């Protein structure tokens, strides 16, 4: 019997390269654990533009709405820079997030022990790090109206609008508090209420949801710029961070680098429950299409594989199997295997994307 349905959208650049390793892992779960997924594949981003003339075809959007989980690689590439804004690869990704209403974007930043030396920060600041950034994903300045470039010549001006409604803030706040209850019980909310009214409202509503529904969770507030500074100064002070779409984009890249490489960081984007009780969901690595290394077999597939692990956990209620996959990755890193992005020590030869996949599969076999 099928465990559930997955739509794979490999996308552009290193997207298909890292996703190929995820497919092998999905097949492993079918063969070795009797967990069969009903997998289909389609195009997004530049790949979809090349074939259909749009970064996400309507048929693909419909499919994404039907499945239990979407797995996305990455989108974008310099060859698409000339396209009209509405046709850019990134619009395909943003359409998926918006139309599936994936308002809560979970971006964990965890330091694997084996990589503590690799961070640009001192090992003692980073070892044991385990933060969850909850980024609001369907509102704010990414989607607010009015937006656009107006006027003529030198008198042109660009507008984007930061807009948050009370229900938008409430639902992402609840998602952060729920997560905190299963973790260390602490939430830090970040905005810039000192200069932005939307931030003032954000702080008020997060506090209200806390006081009325989650008084057992410890809540603090920080201005987002100070939050960025604290993330680099003493990241272990944080458990769950909840913040808006744009600040969450920036802060999660900072957090990614704390752990060593963008190639390590997964994410889950979750919406409301569907009829079968599972949340609408899309899983993707935090990194992009890495045009500088695409096609060379150098990409680190771990962020994408960890994104599948999050799918096992959050969409398919297979937490034990997710733990198994996380442990396999931890073992391979502890054994010293490194893709090129994780090299620092002299004399260590990097492994390719596929070799990293081989090693993780071998570690999975050894776990049986
Ligand atoms: P990027 O994440 O693609 O790359 C930044 C740097 O990190 C590069 O040096 C790259 O080689 C390295 N890197 C990233 N992932 C890696 C991996 N798995 N293994 C090894 N090294 C890795 O960000 P960018 O260069 O700013 O953006 C490139 C394109 O990707 C742009 O078109 C951008 O819009 C797009 N993008 C897409 C997503 C997404 O699809 N979710 C996210 C970010 C950027
Ligand atoms: C991310 C990316 C996207 C974003 C882009 C590619 C639209 O940077 O997922 O972090 O800004 O949200
Ligand atoms: Mn980003």
């Amino acid at each position: 019997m099928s465990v559930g349905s997955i739509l794979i959208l490999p996308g552009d650049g290193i997207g298909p390269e890292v996703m190929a390793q995820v497919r092998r892992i999905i097949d492993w779960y079918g063969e070795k654990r009797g967990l069969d997924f009903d997998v289909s594949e389609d195009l997004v981003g530049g790949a979809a533009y090349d074939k259909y003339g749009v970064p996400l075809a309507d048929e693909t959007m419909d499919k994404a709405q039907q499945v239990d989980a979407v797995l996305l690689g990455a989108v974008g590439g310099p060859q698409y820079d000339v396209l009209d804004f509405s046709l850019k690869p990134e619009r395909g990704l943003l359409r998926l997030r918006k139309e599936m209403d994936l308002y809560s974007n979970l971006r964990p930043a965890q330091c694997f022990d084996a990589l503590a030396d690799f961070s640009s920060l001192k090992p003692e600041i980073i070892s044991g790090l385990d933060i969850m950034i909850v980024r609001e994903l369907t509102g704010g300045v990414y989607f607010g109206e009015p937006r656009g470039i107006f006027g003529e010549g030198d008198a042109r001006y660009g507008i984007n609008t930061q807009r948050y409604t009370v229900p938008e803030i409430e639902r992402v706040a609840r998602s952060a508090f729920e997560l905190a209850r299963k973790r260390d019980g602490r939430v830090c909310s970040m905005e810039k209420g000192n200069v932005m009214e939307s931030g003032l409202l954000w702080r008020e509503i997060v506090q209200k949801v806390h006081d009325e529904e989650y008084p057992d969770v410890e809540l603090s507030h920080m201005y987002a710029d100070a939050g960025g500074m604290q993330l680099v100064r003493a990241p272990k002070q944080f458990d769950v961070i909840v913040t808006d779409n744009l600040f969450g984009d920036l802060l999660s890249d900072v957090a990614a680098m704390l752990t060593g490489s963008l190639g390590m960081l997964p994410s889950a984007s979750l919406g409301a429950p569907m009829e079968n009780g599972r949340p609408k969901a899309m899983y993707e690595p935090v990194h992009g299409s890495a045009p500088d290394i695409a096609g060379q077999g150098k990409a680190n597939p771990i962020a994408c594989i960890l994104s599948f692990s999050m799918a096992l956990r959050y969409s398919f209620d297979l937490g034990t199997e997710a733990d198994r996959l996380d442990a396999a990755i931890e073992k391979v890193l502890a054994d010293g295997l490194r893709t090129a992005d994780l090299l620092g020590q002299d004399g260590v030869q990097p492994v390719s994307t596929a070799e990293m996949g081989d090693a993780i599969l071998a570690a999975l076999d050894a776990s049986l």
Side-chain angles (χ1 to χ4, degrees):
M1 206 188 78
S2 168
V3 180
S5 52
I6 295 179
L7 172 64
I8 293 190
L9 302 173
D12 308 321
I14 62 167
E17 299 173 40
V18 293
M19 198 57 88
Q21 303 312 313
V22 173
R23 283 211 82 132
R24 298 172 71 197
I25 306 248
I26 295 176
D27 291 345
W28 184 90
Y29 275 99
E31 283 160 27
K32 303 286 173 75
R33 303 294 301 152
L35 297 167
D36 290 310
F37 294 91
D38 177 9
V39 181
S40 54
E41 192 166 320
D42 211 327
L43 301 173
V44 68
Y49 174 80
D50 292 340
K51 180 148 184 213
Y52 304 125
V54 286
L56 187 77
D58 291 343
E59 298 74 44
T60 316
M61 187 67 239
D62 290 345
K63 272 192 233 168
Q65 297 281 18
Q66 305 300 323
V67 293
D68 293 314
V70 176
L71 302 184
L72 186 138
V75 297
Q79 68 272 46
Y80 304 108
D81 285 351
V82 294
L83 292 181
D84 184 73
F85 196 70
S86 64
L87 295 176
K88 285 195 191 294
E90 290 78 4
R91 302 310 302 172
L93 174 60
L94 293 170
R95 181 178 176 198
L96 281 162
R97 291 174 179 170
K98 187 68 177 176
E99 291 191 20
M100 292 171 74
D101 201 17
L102 305 172
Y103 60 88
S104 176
N105 181 213
L106 278 43
R107 298 190 159 189
Q110 259 167 322
C111 182
F112 288 89
D113 283 346
L115 295 183
D117 280 329
F118 184 76
S119 171
S120 49
L121 300 188
K122 296 191 193 85
E124 62 268 27
I125 294 185
I126 223 71
S127 69
L129 180 76
D130 180 6
I131 305 176
M132 179 70 85
I133 297 186
V134 179
R135 168 190 178 192
E136 200 291 326
L137 201 62
T138 50
V141 74
Y142 270 61
F143 296 100
E145 299 282 348
R147 64 183 299 162
I149 300 175
F150 303 94
E152 297 290 335
D154 285 352
R156 285 184 306 159
Y157 52 95
I159 298 186
N160 290 92
T161 302
Q162 167 90 338
R163 180 176 191 273
Y164 272 111
T165 64
V166 170
E168 280 174 332
I169 303 168
E170 284 173 342
R171 64 184 188 171
V172 74
R174 284 192 188 102
S175 141
F177 289 127
E178 291 290 339
L179 277 166
R181 274 186 178 160
K182 296 187 198 128
R183 296 171 46 97
D184 200 34
R186 293 176 296 122
V187 171
C188 180
S189 168
M190 297 187 186
E191 31 59 32
K192 273 186 70 75
N194 48 347
V195 285
M196 297 164 76
E197 285 80 359
S198 60
L200 214 52
L201 184 69
W202 180 281
R203 184 178 287 224
E204 177 196 320
I205 300 304
V206 171
Q207 186 69 50
K208 183 181 76 96
V209 171
H210 168 267
D211 296 350
E212 290 174 0
E213 301 170 39
Y214 301 92
D216 51 304
V217 176
E218 190 183 312
L219 171 66
S220 58
H221 302 274
M222 245 181 227
Y223 294 134
D225 51 349
M229 182 271 285
Q230 290 293 346
L231 256 180
V232 177
R233 190 186 73 85
K236 283 191 265 184
Q237 70 185 284
F238 297 111
D239 178 25
V240 175
I241 292 174
V242 64
T243 189
D244 75 16
N245 204 341
L246 183 60
F247 294 142
D249 184 40
L250 304 180
L251 294 171
S252 60
D253 264 31
V254 172
M257 236 15 238
L258 296 177
T259 69
S261 166
L262 262 177
M264 295 295 298
L265 211 73
S267 81
S269 305
L270 306 175
M274 300 185 285
E275 262 171 33
N276 64 10
R278 290 172 173 168
K280 273 267 167 73
M282 178 159 76
Y283 300 87
E284 47 170 322
V286 170
H287 65 72
S289 56
D292 53 336
I293 58 163
Q296 302 172 33
K298 283 186 189 166
N300 184 348
I302 292 180
C304 202
I305 295 173
L306 285 172
S307 301
F308 174 63
S309 164
M310 292 186 87
L312 291 173
R313 207 178 289 286
Y314 293 105
S315 283
F316 300 111
D317 205 16
L318 291 169
T320 318
E321 296 299 338
D323 290 345
R324 178 196 299 281
L325 182 50
D326 295 352
I329 290 170
E330 204 159 346
K331 158 126 196 349
V332 165
L333 292 171
D335 287 348
L337 249 75
R338 305 279 183 269
T339 40
D341 54 307
L342 293 176
L343 281 186
Q345 308 105 307
D346 292 337
V348 180
Q349 283 300 311
V351 300
S352 68
T353 310
E355 285 166 341
M356 183 57 93
D358 295 343
I360 294 170
L361 286 169
L364 281 172
D365 276 338
S367 77
L368 294 175

